[in-house]
Amino acid sequence: DLSDVTMSGASAGALAATLTLADVDFEEATSLALKLAEDAGVWDRPLGLQGVWGPMIETWLNDLLPDNAVEMVDERLSLLVTSIPSFRTDRISSFESKEDLVRCNMASVHLPWFLDGKLTSNFRQAPRIDGSFRAKTEDYFPQVKNGQVDDSLIILDWKSDPVMEGKTKDFIKLTSKEGIWDLLEQGRSYAQIMDKRGDFDTISQS
């Protein structure tokens, strides 16, 4: 039961946190992502996802998120964006509408030039880029002081998974359809390891 859980995320983590709190089925999300990729012809494009990934993600979010998504994530979701030109990390914790929520996600995942051929993503009349660019633990969780994390926090970092640790550059590379499903399954497998380790005990006790 995640009804009392709050989440904070940046970049791909922003997407994962948003979809989770909006109760989106990840199997459905993966199927839709593959359909959009097929429709965009990315498997046959010499540049793969480059230049078209941004519009695909925005369509994906708009289709997946329910109309009441803002109410579902209200006071439970925080997303990080990097402001330009200051390179300040901003934490966004309230959203005006579904469109505002989607635009915040688009800013948080924005890889300059790669996603849509643009240097920045416009969010609330300001240029932004990927929220994980200079983010520290304290940016995700203001209650963290001097990097000290208490037991009430669960940090999900794909680099903690030994299988995924060496695949930093693979996340922006186009893989096979089977490879996409394998990523989802690997996430499930590592979550089971974390569960057996007791990493999620604080959720069950809340």
Side-chain angles (χ1 to χ4, degrees):
D1 182 8
L2 300 178
S3 58
D4 295 324
V5 172
T6 59
M7 294 187 177
S8 183
S11 197
L15 301 178
T18 300
L19 296 182
T20 298
L21 291 183
D23 200 25
V24 172
D25 184 280
F26 276 75
E27 294 270 351
E28 178 187 348
T30 302
S31 294
L32 179 58
L34 290 173
K35 180 182 183 301
L36 291 171
E38 187 73 36
D39 292 346
V42 298
W43 308 106
D44 303 316
R45 293 181 79 242
L47 295 178
L49 290 166
Q50 185 172 343
V52 299
W53 202 9
M56 285 171 54
I57 295 174
E58 189 163 6
T59 298
W60 183 68
L61 286 171
N62 275 311
D63 287 356
L64 288 170
L65 292 175
D67 291 338
N68 66 335
V70 170
E71 289 79 7
M72 296 180 75
V73 307
D74 187 40
E75 297 185 356
R76 300 173 59 211
L77 176 68
S78 296
L79 304 180
L80 303 187
V81 297
T82 302
S83 293
I84 299 298
S86 67
F87 289 99
R88 181 186 67 245
T89 301
D90 292 328
R91 186 171 184 264
I92 312 298
S93 300
S94 63
F95 306 95
E96 301 165 2
S97 62
K98 176 180 172 178
E99 179 184 3
D100 188 58
L101 176 60
V102 169
R103 290 308 308 163
C104 188
N105 271 274
M106 295 308 299
S108 189
V109 301
H110 190 79
L111 298 174
W113 308 121
F114 187 85
L115 280 198
D116 59 5
K118 298 177 182 178
L119 176 61
T120 62
S121 177
N122 186 59
F123 172 63
R124 295 182 180 174
Q125 308 304 313
R128 324 275 189 160
I129 63 170
D130 193 301
S132 67
F133 184 59
R134 299 182 66 183
K136 303 181 293 294
T137 303
E138 299 93 295
D139 295 317
Y140 294 93
F141 309 105
Q143 66 269 42
V144 171
K145 304 299 181 184
N146 301 316
Q148 298 298 312
V149 179
D150 64 49
D151 292 338
S152 68
L153 297 178
I154 301 172
I155 297 179
L156 301 178
D157 185 348
W158 58 269
K159 294 189 293 295
S160 299
D161 180 354
V163 175
M164 302 302 298
E165 185 181 12
K167 299 185 176 182
T168 304
K169 297 180 180 179
D170 290 353
F171 286 102
I172 61 171
K173 291 181 180 178
L174 192 62
T175 182
S176 66
K177 297 175 185 179
E178 293 76 16
I180 299 296
W181 286 110
D182 286 346
L183 286 175
L184 184 64
E185 189 56 40
Q186 180 56 36
R188 282 202 187 99
S189 297
Y190 190 65
Q192 291 173 350
I193 292 174
M194 294 181 68
D195 191 28
K196 290 179 180 178
R197 221 162 46 196
D199 293 358
F200 302 132
D201 286 355
T202 54
I203 295 177
S204 59
Q205 293 169 5
S206 62

